[in-house]
Amino acid sequence: MAEPAARHLSLPSGLLELCALLGASQDSLRGLEQIAQKRGVKSASSLVPEVLSVFVPPFTTKEDGQLPGANCSLSKGRRRSFRKKREKSRMEPWKSHPGDSKGPDFEDVTIPGGVDLLALPQLCFPGGVCVASEPKEDYIHFLVLTDVCGNRTYGVVAQYYRPLHDEYCFYNGKSHWEPSVRTARRFVPFAVCVVSRFPYYNSLKDCLSCLLTHLKICKDFDVDNHIKDFAARLSLIPSPPPGPLHLIFNVKPLQVVFPSRVDPESPIIDLDLHLPLLCFRPEKVLQILTCILTEQRIVFFSSDWALLTLMAECFVAYLHPLQWQHTFVPILSGQMLDFVMAPTSFLMGCHLDHFEEVRKEADGLVLIDIDHGSVTCSKSSDDNIDIPNVPLLLAQTFIQRVQSLQLHPDLHFAHLSTSTDLNEGRARHRAWQQTLNCKIQHITLQLLVGIFREVKNHLNYEHRVFNSEEFLKTRAAGDQQFYKQVLDTYMFHSFLKARLNGRMDAFARMDLDTQSEEDRIDRMLISPRRPTVEKMASRKASPLHTTHRRMVVSMPNLQDISLPELPPRNSSLRIMDTSSCKSSSPVLKVTPKSTYTFKIPEIHFPLMSECVQAYYTDLVTLLSKAMALLGPGDSLLLARYFYLRGLIHLMQGQLLSALLDFQNLYKTDIGIFPADLVKRMVESMSASERAQAERTPELRRLITEVFDKHGEAPKADDAVKNFELPKKHMQLNDFVKRVQESGIVKDAVIIHRLFDALTYEREKLIDPETFRDFYTCWKETEAEAQEVSLPALLMDHLDKNECVYKLSSSVKTNRGVGKIAMTQKRLFLLPEGRPGYVEIATFRNIEEVRTTTVAFLLLKIPTLKIKTVAKKEVFEANLKSECDLWDLMVKEMWAGKKLADDHKDPQYVQQALTNVLLMDAVVGTLQSPHAIRAASILAYFKTMKNELPMAVPKTTSETLKHKINPSAGETAPQGIEVLLYTPGRLDPAEKVEDAHPKLWCALNEGKVVVFDASSWTVHQHCFKVGASKVNCMVMAEHSQVWVGSEDSVIYIINIHSMSCNKQLTDHRSPVTGLAVHRGKKPSQVYSCSLDGTVLAWNVSTLRVISQFRLPYDGLMSISLHNDCVWCCTVHKILVRTPQGFVELKTKHPNEKSSFLTFQLLPEEQQLWAASTGVSELYIWSLKDLDQPPQKTPLQDCTEVTCMIRVKRQIWVGGRGLSQGKTRGKIYVMDVEKVTVEKELVAHSDTVRTLCSAEDRYVLSGAGQEEGKIAIWKVE
């Protein structure tokens, strides 16, 4: 039976897509010579350019034969080099006639997408082809070419002049015509254009510069051959993968470096980012960035064609990760000027000669003159274009940081000796430029983070909604126009989609790195945000505070606001000192990440398939040698070498070798794994090759992974909705969604109670008017809290993180007339008419709250009375119509605080605050006699305190230290699967906060949240390791956390970068256990899976160094002791000795039950085991495991779920009865007495996991009903 044909595989492009020679046609040159002979014309003349020759890879012909080992259909499409067809036989050029030419007639080829050969001559000669009477310098400029799908390719064009000798047709072989009379000397321009999929502007400029040195001295008929050889060399260079590895290529006399992108999300930066800072003042740079952010119709002008593209690309790079989504044509030739009349947004470039013409003829354009550093609007639209200003404080900071940069290399190199080696000097300058680029990118990214940091506070991730109206209200009045225009752009919409998709790009990383401690705490709050006392005080101290007030307050006269003076313009070449300016934020010390280089071997000619094969062989040999020299910790470089070697093996047609390299890459750094390429590669394999690949277990697993995970149809990119008030009646489910979208509250249970309150004694349906009234009341209260004016002396009485959540109207109290203020901790009185502070009570010290009436004349005034523990005098306030509401609110806060203290859980106070604010909004919405009774539905903690008085047992209260909620801000609690504590370690390379101890919390569906264990604040909000349940986690060495998953993959998290780019896929069933072999060099980790497989890993190389499989399935966990591996299966506990023997140690004493986990205590010679469905522990003596185990019952226990050893104790987690209720419980066992020391009532749901923190604390995680983490002190 015939083997099925292999599918065609298009190989990935190298650095070169196309190379072309352009210039004037034969006919026009012949005509020019004849005119010059007759008239003696010496002035420059303009000619029509055209494409003369095109060279497209691959450059080996069919006659060269197929590359050895290439058993599949490998190609990049039907491409080959071609020249313009000869008019006649090359052997008889003198028989041609001018009239024979019929325009550009080319051989049959396939041109890369995005390259329009008809438009290319105009772009390569944007100023026309002018014959000169004297030689001119070579000239290089840059192009950006866009196809109909919006994909960009990049061109670098080198123009050079050659004398028009008697043999003028030098681009086409031998001379075609020999005039009898020698004419005046003329020089004709030609252009070589290199097109690449990558924006290698500087590198390709260097390559073309080297080519020109050869073209100038070569014979006329050799020009095509030189260009073809040059193009062939470039086409064989692979593009470097993202990361620190740059490629070096020897183009004599220069060593040309092709830099890689920093990460897969970042663009390639191969240009000098400081060019705009040399041409424009920082204020103008900000203005141009604003024009791009607001998607204006922008035209750059310069007398230097090269600057047009470079300048436009620099400004676009400044705004990364925001992307320009509209027309991008940095160079327009004279024939393309009508493009500027397009009605949509665009970014284009023209020669300065056309400035006045464009300014007068086109409307609504922003004209940027690079040569003079000016930004103006086209004449007829001065009144129509309103370019808003960047927010003032951010603008000032940006200007100061830019002025602190050193933009002049001569000053940097002044103290260094002159380099006598050309390439050494270039490398020195390249390092300086790389550092400067890094600083500039850092400054511009800081600007973007400052502009958009608070956008995330107004996003609803579940329903993909952005509340633009509320976001705008938080902006200063002077910044409103800026934000209104920016928020209405495609660029911002794409930015929002990236935020909602959780993309960890440069913006997200800097936002995370630069957030304050207050921001970290805010992310854990479930109550609405309010300005803290500390923030209010700092806001008052700022002279710019007035401009940053909320929109609900009328604006003062802006002319009366005295703004701090900006530092003077730095007109010298020295670095500006900004230390004297207190408001300055000088540029941070930014050092670029270390980079490495790999030198591409020489490419030998003639370019036959044998030569190409030899080049590939040399490249593979060099890559293999480089890999062999790497240390065990150099996985970053190793991954790049795997990538390149896999690519070269693919070019050679060695698919199995390529697949092995990509499989190693998948394990080493999945972030750069080319999934689509590998999938296409597997699809192109013949049946025999596919079968051979699948005989190797690792390759079979890789193929499965690629087709399962990457073969799914891409999901539609959900659009971002803007929040709108509902227009129809809502039932419960729709109401929950609307409230969550509004950002008021996310917890579905609380929203259910809110629904009941708003529909109290009414039909269970919310009408649009009620929702609008509720939303308005909520936002008005929020705005009032933002504008509370507190006297400065309050800073001495309140904690810096306290916020004022509610203010009463002015009322008479027994301590004076004033307003009652409520924070999350206390009540106090703001006296009327004078700044002051009168403490009423902290919620912790309240003893009684009640309402009464006080007779005044014929009136009975409702009064609130608050009795505290410390004071004999009862506080009384005549709150009148507000009395019942304040009674509800104070009692709810009091109950919440008591529960928070009893359960050591500050979340209770936050939830009580949310309830209180919802009560206030409900009363304001309903405004009916039943409003208070409706609002009382939201008094959850008050009801709990009154109806379910559950005292926390004394032992629990004394042992429990704190509780945290990893699900804060989510719509519902999430169960905690695994906890891991990693100790702090001060590494000079780390930031201080990165050196803190951390708590790793695995939630459902592979989500991991990381807490800073020094403050219990969120260090890294949720990131994903797969999409399945996490079963186990361990810390390997000091830089890795290994995560075993239900999907049978081990995910490796880099602790420093908080990224998961490594995966181990050798297991075939769920990974159930991980154990670190302490003291072993190199470090080893053992992993086990449910099917009984145990693998031992070298942590440095991530390779399996040994493995075995038990004769039983159901392997639940493993433990290491004395080089023996103890394995706990469902029904048996076995040991594998160092000699490789598997010994049965014991069986489960109850055939109806099964082992869950075990703990080995060698010092006590004990083996402890817990079982499913049994409320007792089994303890064996290691001296004689054949003896029946000792059984220790756990009182009131219904289920055991986890067990750990801490010092001389065993902590057992599970579920049991307490005060008649099923609760999550922990039993602390004494290993010597084998008795229960403590019984802790831990959670309202089952204890799912336990972990130890340096044997000083134990942390327990609860199931989905509660979803919280408790921190317990170890005695």
Side-chain angles (χ1 to χ4, degrees):
M1 183 175 177
E3 188 177 285
R7 287 184 60 177
H8 176 80
L9 172 64
S10 293
L11 295 178
S13 300
L15 292 182
L16 179 129
E17 286 282 291
L18 173 148
C19 185
L21 176 66
L22 304 98
S25 65
Q26 298 180 37
D27 297 342
S28 58
L29 287 178
R30 183 183 297 117
L32 180 67
E33 278 299 322
Q34 292 171 347
I35 293 172
Q37 279 185 358
K38 294 177 181 178
R39 302 178 183 175
V41 178
K42 295 184 180 181
S43 62
S45 304
S46 182
L47 303 171
V48 177
E50 64 177 47
V51 177
L52 303 176
S53 302
V54 176
F55 307 92
V56 187
F59 292 94
T60 51
T61 62
K62 293 181 180 179
E63 288 75 16
D64 292 335
Q66 197 175 21
L67 296 180
N71 297 321
C72 69
S73 176
L74 296 177
S75 76
K76 293 173 68 172
R78 296 189 172 185
R79 297 184 182 180
R80 58 177 180 239
S81 60
F82 66 87
R83 303 183 179 100
K84 186 179 175 185
K85 281 190 174 180
R86 307 294 178 243
E87 293 177 1
K88 296 292 179 182
S89 168
R90 288 188 56 155
M91 297 304 293
E92 298 179 326
W94 56 85
K95 295 182 181 178
S96 63
H97 299 283
D100 292 342
S101 180
K102 296 181 180 180
D105 181 17
F106 296 103
E107 299 175 16
D108 179 28
V109 295
T110 301
I111 300 299
V115 181
D116 181 358
L117 290 184
L118 295 178
L120 192 62
Q122 293 183 44
L123 294 172
C124 291
F125 292 97
V129 179
C130 297
V131 179
S133 58
E134 56 185 29
K136 290 188 176 183
E137 289 188 2
D138 303 334
Y139 187 88
I140 290 180
H141 68 277
F142 311 93
L143 307 175
V144 178
L145 310 170
T146 310
D147 64 15
V148 292
C149 299
N151 301 311
R152 292 176 185 168
T153 50
Y154 305 88
V156 181
V157 182
Q159 290 185 22
Y160 66 102
Y161 282 77
R162 287 182 64 110
L164 185 58
H165 296 302
D166 295 343
E167 300 177 323
Y168 67 90
C169 275
F170 52 85
Y171 60 82
N172 213 6
K174 296 182 178 179
S175 60
H176 284 213
W177 172 63
E178 297 181 5
S180 56
V181 181
R182 197 162 186 83
T183 62
R185 192 171 177 83
R186 310 294 284 264
F187 295 86
V188 184
F190 290 87
V192 180
C193 176
V194 173
V195 177
S196 173
R197 288 196 303 117
F198 310 100
Y200 283 119
Y201 295 119
N202 286 338
S203 301
L204 292 177
K205 174 182 176 180
D206 290 345
C207 292
L208 282 172
S209 300
C210 295
L211 173 66
L212 294 187
T213 61
H214 297 287
L215 294 184
K216 288 178 181 177
I217 60 175
C218 72
K219 298 293 183 181
D220 296 343
F221 52 81
D222 276 341
V223 169
D224 271 351
N225 291 332
H226 274 285
I227 296 175
K228 180 180 177 181
D229 289 350
F230 168 80
R233 285 170 179 255
L234 286 183
S235 69
L236 292 176
I237 301 175
S239 58
L245 185 64
H246 300 178
L247 300 182
I248 293 183
F249 183 54
N250 186 19
V251 188
K252 297 178 181 178
L254 300 181
Q255 300 276 356
V256 179
V257 176
F258 291 94
S260 60
R261 63 186 81 219
V262 176
D263 56 63
E265 297 283 347
S266 299
I268 292 171
I269 301 295
D270 187 33
L271 68 167
D272 303 339
L273 290 181
H274 69 294
L275 290 178
L277 307 181
L278 296 175
C279 299
F280 299 96
R281 294 169 60 89
E283 297 84 351
K284 293 296 181 186
V285 171
L286 281 174
Q287 199 173 6
I288 297 169
L289 290 176
T290 302
C291 292
I292 299 174
L293 280 173
T294 55
E295 296 185 349
Q296 304 287 341
R297 298 160 66 218
I298 304 166
V299 185
F300 284 91
F301 291 88
S302 177
S303 56
D304 187 340
W305 294 105
L307 284 180
L308 291 173
T309 301
L310 295 179
M311 208 64 64
E313 285 281 39
C314 282
F315 278 108
V316 169
Y318 288 172
L319 293 178
H320 174 77
L322 278 75
Q323 295 179 335
W324 178 260
Q325 313 242 337
H326 299 277
T327 303
F328 186 70
V329 187
I331 287 185
L332 294 175
S333 64
Q335 295 91 334
M336 299 176 175
L337 280 183
D338 59 318
F339 283 21
V340 301
M341 306 301 290
T344 56
S345 301
F346 57 73
L347 199 160
M348 300 184 184
C350 296
H351 196 277
L352 191 59
D353 292 345
H354 303 296
F355 185 88
E356 285 300 322
E357 180 183 353
V358 172
R359 186 174 69 86
K360 291 177 182 178
E361 296 296 329
D363 290 343
L365 302 185
V366 177
L367 312 179
I368 301 172
D369 185 342
I370 297 171
D371 294 5
H372 300 97
S374 66
V375 180
T376 56
C377 299
S378 52
K379 187 172 182 180
S380 58
S381 61
D382 284 343
D383 298 331
N384 299 329
I385 295 186
D386 180 18
I387 302 175
N389 294 322
V390 171
L392 183 60
L393 288 176
L394 296 173
Q396 179 183 348
T397 302
F398 176 83
I399 292 169
Q400 291 167 355
R401 286 172 173 164
V402 167
Q403 290 179 339
S404 70
L405 293 173
Q406 175 59 270
L407 303 178
H408 302 275
D410 290 344
L411 292 174
H412 181 78
F413 297 125
H415 67 286
L416 298 177
S417 61
T418 303
S419 175
T420 56
D421 182 273
L422 173 62
N423 288 309
E424 179 188 335
R426 282 166 45 83
R428 183 186 291 176
H429 187 278
R430 190 164 52 247
W432 173 84
Q433 187 66 59
Q434 183 184 358
T435 301
L436 181 59
N437 281 359
C438 187
K439 289 181 179 179
I440 293 172
Q441 286 177 290
H442 196 81
I443 291 172
T444 54
L445 188 56
Q446 284 176 317
L447 174 68
L448 291 177
V449 170
I451 292 173
F452 299 117
R453 184 193 290 276
E454 293 185 29
V455 163
K456 64 179 180 290
N457 298 338
H458 301 270
L459 286 173
N460 179 275
Y461 291 84
E462 292 77 22
H463 304 294
R464 300 183 68 82
V465 172
F466 174 58
N467 197 330
S468 59
E469 182 180 340
E470 291 304 319
F471 173 72
L472 285 173
K473 286 181 180 178
T474 66
R475 305 300 91 194
D479 301 336
Q480 289 283 318
Q481 191 60 33
F482 172 82
Y483 281 103
K484 282 180 181 177
Q485 291 192 33
V486 171
L487 264 56
D488 198 31
T489 61
Y490 286 99
M491 184 182 288
F492 180 74
H493 189 76
S494 296
F495 171 79
L496 282 184
K497 284 199 278 190
R499 299 316 104 205
L500 289 171
N501 293 337
R503 182 178 299 166
M504 187 52 66
D505 53 19
F507 180 95
R509 284 192 294 271
M510 177 167 282
D511 183 23
L512 197 63
D513 291 343
T514 57
Q515 68 180 358
S516 64
E517 188 65 24
E518 183 182 342
D519 292 331
R520 293 181 189 273
I521 293 172
D522 277 349
R523 296 175 71 180
M524 297 183 63
L525 301 182
I526 58 175
S527 60
R529 292 178 175 85
R530 296 290 187 267
T532 63
V533 172
E534 183 182 44
K535 186 172 285 187
M536 285 183 177
S538 64
R539 194 170 62 182
K540 280 192 170 186
S542 170
L544 294 175
H545 166 57
T546 321
T547 64
H548 283 265
R549 298 185 65 181
R550 299 263 173 164
M551 284 298 290
V552 294
V553 180
S554 61
M555 278 297 298
N557 186 350
L558 290 177
Q559 294 178 348
D560 296 337
I561 301 172
S562 58
L563 301 178
E565 290 188 9
L566 294 176
R569 168 74 175 170
N570 184 15
S571 56
S572 72
L573 301 183
R574 301 300 297 169
I575 298 175
M576 183 168 181
D577 181 15
T578 58
S579 58
S580 60
C581 184
K582 292 183 180 179
S583 62
S584 166
S585 290
V587 64
L588 301 176
K589 290 185 177 180
V590 182
T591 54
K593 295 180 180 178
S594 299
T595 57
Y596 307 88
T597 57
F598 177 80
K599 190 172 182 180
I600 300 293
E602 293 290 334
I603 301 172
H604 304 287
F605 290 93
L607 199 66
M608 306 289 287
S609 61
E610 292 82 4
C611 298
V612 173
Q613 185 68 12
Y615 160 74
Y616 285 147
T617 303
D618 291 346
L619 190 47
V620 168
T621 302
L622 289 176
L623 286 168
S624 301
K625 286 182 179 178
M627 294 162 75
L629 295 174
L630 290 178
D634 292 331
S635 61
L636 203 63
L637 272 181
L638 183 65
R640 273 74 202 162
Y641 289 140
F642 276 135
Y643 180 98
L644 288 171
R645 196 172 71 178
L647 213 57
I648 301 306
H649 278 142
L650 182 58
M651 298 291 188
Q652 290 178 296
Q654 298 176 7
L655 298 192
L656 287 177
S657 298
L659 206 56
L660 280 169
D661 278 333
F662 288 135
Q663 193 273 337
N664 285 318
L665 171 63
Y666 188 84
K667 290 198 304 185
T668 311
D669 190 346
I670 197 172
I672 62 171
F673 177 74
D676 291 335
L677 175 63
V678 173
K679 184 180 178 183
R680 287 187 281 113
M681 189 171 75
V682 173
E683 288 173 341
S684 72
M685 285 180 165
S686 63
S688 59
E689 285 176 321
R690 178 78 175 260
Q692 186 179 352
E694 293 192 347
R695 281 196 291 270
T696 306
E698 289 187 342
L699 295 186
R700 183 171 66 250
R701 180 56 185 264
L702 178 69
I703 292 170
T704 304
E705 287 285 324
V706 167
F707 279 87
D708 285 353
K709 292 187 178 181
H710 302 281
E712 301 171 358
K715 295 180 181 178
D717 193 6
D718 295 330
V720 182
K721 296 178 289 185
N722 198 21
F723 175 72
E724 294 180 352
L725 291 171
K727 298 176 182 177
K728 297 179 180 179
H729 287 65
M730 290 160 285
Q731 293 183 335
L732 176 59
N733 289 340
D734 195 24
F735 178 74
V736 170
K737 178 183 175 183
R738 290 289 189 167
V739 173
Q740 290 174 341
E741 286 180 355
S742 72
I744 291 175
V745 63
K746 290 185 177 180
D747 192 315
V749 175
I750 296 176
I751 301 175
H752 283 203
R753 292 199 291 268
L754 175 61
F755 181 83
D756 292 338
L758 288 173
T759 57
Y760 180 72
E761 294 187 348
R762 295 166 56 185
E763 183 184 2
K764 295 299 179 181
L765 208 61
I766 302 284
D767 58 84
E769 293 76 19
T770 300
F771 190 96
R772 184 182 64 247
D773 292 343
F774 169 75
Y775 183 79
T776 303
C777 285
W778 178 273
K779 291 301 176 183
E780 284 177 351
T781 305
E782 188 177 73
E784 288 168 6
Q786 297 287 345
E787 294 306 318
V788 171
S789 180
L790 299 177
L793 59 87
L794 255 67
M795 287 296 293
D796 298 329
H797 299 279
L798 304 181
D799 295 343
K800 65 179 184 178
N801 290 325
E802 279 190 78
C803 310
V804 174
Y805 284 88
K806 178 67 178 172
L807 268 180
S808 73
S809 54
S810 288
V811 296
K812 177 184 175 296
T813 75
N814 60 345
R815 298 182 192 175
V817 176
K819 294 182 178 182
I820 298 174
M822 183 179 74
T823 73
Q824 65 265 49
K825 292 186 178 181
R826 74 191 80 226
L827 298 168
F828 62 91
L829 185 70
L830 291 171
E832 195 78 11
R834 60 181 176 82
Y837 170 87
V838 179
E839 176 95 13
I840 297 173
T842 59
F843 294 115
R844 175 179 286 143
N845 293 329
I846 291 178
E847 189 174 311
E848 183 185 12
V849 178
R850 62 189 177 91
T851 59
T852 185
T853 57
V854 175
F856 179 74
L857 299 178
L858 298 177
L859 301 175
K860 289 187 176 181
I861 302 173
T863 301
L864 181 69
K865 292 188 176 183
I866 301 174
K867 184 180 179 182
T868 59
V869 175
K871 298 178 182 178
K872 293 182 179 179
E873 182 186 10
V874 176
F875 174 79
E876 296 183 14
N878 298 347
L879 280 159
K880 301 178 183 177
S881 61
E882 296 180 77
C883 188
D884 289 336
L885 175 59
W886 274 88
D887 176 58
L888 261 183
M889 293 193 300
V890 173
K891 285 178 178 176
E892 180 71 1
M893 290 300 298
W894 175 27
K897 181 60 179 174
K898 186 177 188 316
L899 286 169
D901 288 346
D902 290 348
H903 294 270
K904 311 290 176 66
D905 186 355
Q907 289 283 321
Y908 282 117
V909 173
Q910 299 299 324
Q911 193 170 334
L913 270 171
T914 302
N915 296 341
V916 161
L917 294 171
L918 290 173
M919 289 178 204
D920 185 34
V922 166
V923 170
T925 302
L926 298 181
Q927 294 183 354
S928 69
H930 303 298
I932 294 299
R933 295 181 65 182
S936 65
I937 296 173
L938 291 157
Y940 177 68
F941 294 121
K942 171 177 171 286
T943 306
M944 272 184 63
K945 179 172 172 287
N946 294 336
E947 297 180 3
L948 302 169
M950 289 178 57
V952 177
K954 182 181 178 182
T955 305
T956 299
S957 181
E958 290 174 348
T959 311
L960 180 61
K961 305 306 294 180
H962 192 60
K963 274 192 176 182
I964 54 179
N965 183 9
S967 301
E970 300 292 335
T971 56
Q974 299 180 56
I976 296 165
E977 307 292 354
V978 185
L979 292 172
L980 172 68
Y981 172 87
T982 56
R985 181 171 182 268
L986 189 58
D987 188 326
E990 290 184 303
K991 299 193 294 291
V992 175
E993 57 269 26
D994 287 344
H996 292 170
K998 297 179 181 66
L999 174 64
W1000 303 72
C1001 174
L1003 306 177
N1004 55 8
E1005 297 179 344
K1007 298 175 185 173
V1008 177
V1009 176
V1010 185
F1011 288 89
D1012 183 330
S1014 65
S1015 60
W1016 301 119
T1017 56
V1018 173
H1019 177 81
Q1020 171 77 45
H1021 214 263
C1022 191
F1023 64 91
K1024 298 271 285 182
V1025 283
S1028 301
K1029 177 177 176 287
V1030 170
N1031 290 327
C1032 48
M1033 291 193 291
V1034 297
M1035 181 182 185
E1037 295 185 329
H1038 295 287
S1039 60
Q1040 296 178 359
V1041 167
W1042 289 39
V1043 181
S1045 174
E1046 192 73 14
D1047 63 9
S1048 71
V1049 176
I1050 298 173
Y1051 298 90
I1052 300 178
I1053 301 171
N1054 185 304
I1055 292 178
H1056 303 314
S1057 65
M1058 286 293 163
S1059 59
C1060 179
N1061 287 332
K1062 295 186 174 79
Q1063 297 182 14
L1064 306 178
T1065 58
D1066 296 58
H1067 282 288
R1068 299 293 174 266
S1069 65
V1071 179
T1072 53
L1074 293 165
V1076 180
H1077 200 313
R1078 306 291 178 188
K1080 198 79 170 173
K1081 295 295 181 181
S1083 299
Q1084 293 179 11
V1085 171
Y1086 282 76
S1087 62
C1088 67
S1089 53
L1090 197 61
D1091 62 0
T1093 302
V1094 178
L1095 305 178
W1097 301 86
N1098 183 315
V1099 174
S1100 300
T1101 62
L1102 302 182
R1103 295 186 180 277
V1104 176
I1105 51 180
S1106 65
Q1107 60 180 311
F1108 64 90
R1109 182 164 181 172
L1110 300 176
Y1112 309 99
D1113 290 341
L1115 179 54
M1116 305 302 294
S1117 60
I1118 55 174
S1119 182
L1120 305 176
H1121 176 60
N1122 287 342
D1123 292 331
C1124 294
V1125 183
W1126 289 68
C1127 307
C1128 176
T1129 68
V1130 175
H1131 298 294
K1132 299 177 176 63
I1133 294 178
L1134 307 101
V1135 175
R1136 187 178 189 272
T1137 64
Q1139 291 76 31
F1141 301 110
V1142 177
E1143 302 174 358
L1144 174 64
K1145 290 298 183 182
T1146 186
K1147 295 182 179 180
H1148 199 288
N1150 185 349
E1151 293 183 359
K1152 295 182 179 179
S1153 184
S1154 57
F1155 285 122
L1156 178 72
T1157 183
F1158 77 110
Q1159 286 292 325
L1160 200 62
L1161 281 66
E1163 297 85 355
E1164 290 77 17
Q1165 290 292 299
Q1166 292 176 348
L1167 172 65
W1168 291 56
S1171 303
T1172 58
V1174 178
S1175 60
E1176 58 187 7
L1177 302 178
Y1178 301 104
I1179 300 102
W1180 282 270
S1181 170
L1182 292 179
K1183 296 177 182 177
D1184 188 0
L1185 288 169
D1186 293 330
Q1187 293 296 319
Q1190 177 182 346
K1191 299 179 182 179
T1192 302
L1194 302 175
Q1195 187 176 357
D1196 295 329
C1197 179
T1198 57
E1199 180 187 10
V1200 174
T1201 54
C1202 51
M1203 182 170 63
I1204 62 168
R1205 178 185 180 178
V1206 185
K1207 294 183 177 177
R1208 302 183 67 78
Q1209 297 174 337
I1210 293 288
W1211 287 55
V1212 182
R1215 181 172 57 186
L1217 294 175
S1218 175
Q1219 301 180 29
K1221 297 281 185 179
T1222 301
R1223 305 290 300 274
K1225 298 183 76 173
I1226 296 174
Y1227 298 87
V1228 182
M1229 310 288 297
D1230 185 307
V1231 297
E1232 292 181 355
K1233 300 177 182 178
V1234 194
T1235 57
V1236 177
E1237 277 189 353
K1238 293 180 181 179
E1239 184 178 321
L1240 307 175
V1241 183
H1243 301 275
S1244 60
D1245 198 2
T1246 307
V1247 176
R1248 298 276 292 273
T1249 180
L1250 294 166
C1251 83
S1252 170
E1254 301 175 359
D1255 282 351
R1256 295 169 54 212
Y1257 299 96
V1258 167
L1259 300 104
S1260 60
Q1264 189 168 356
E1265 184 181 322
E1266 180 188 289
K1268 292 182 180 179
I1269 299 168
I1271 301 156
W1272 308 87
K1273 185 177 180 181
V1274 176
E1275 298 295 337

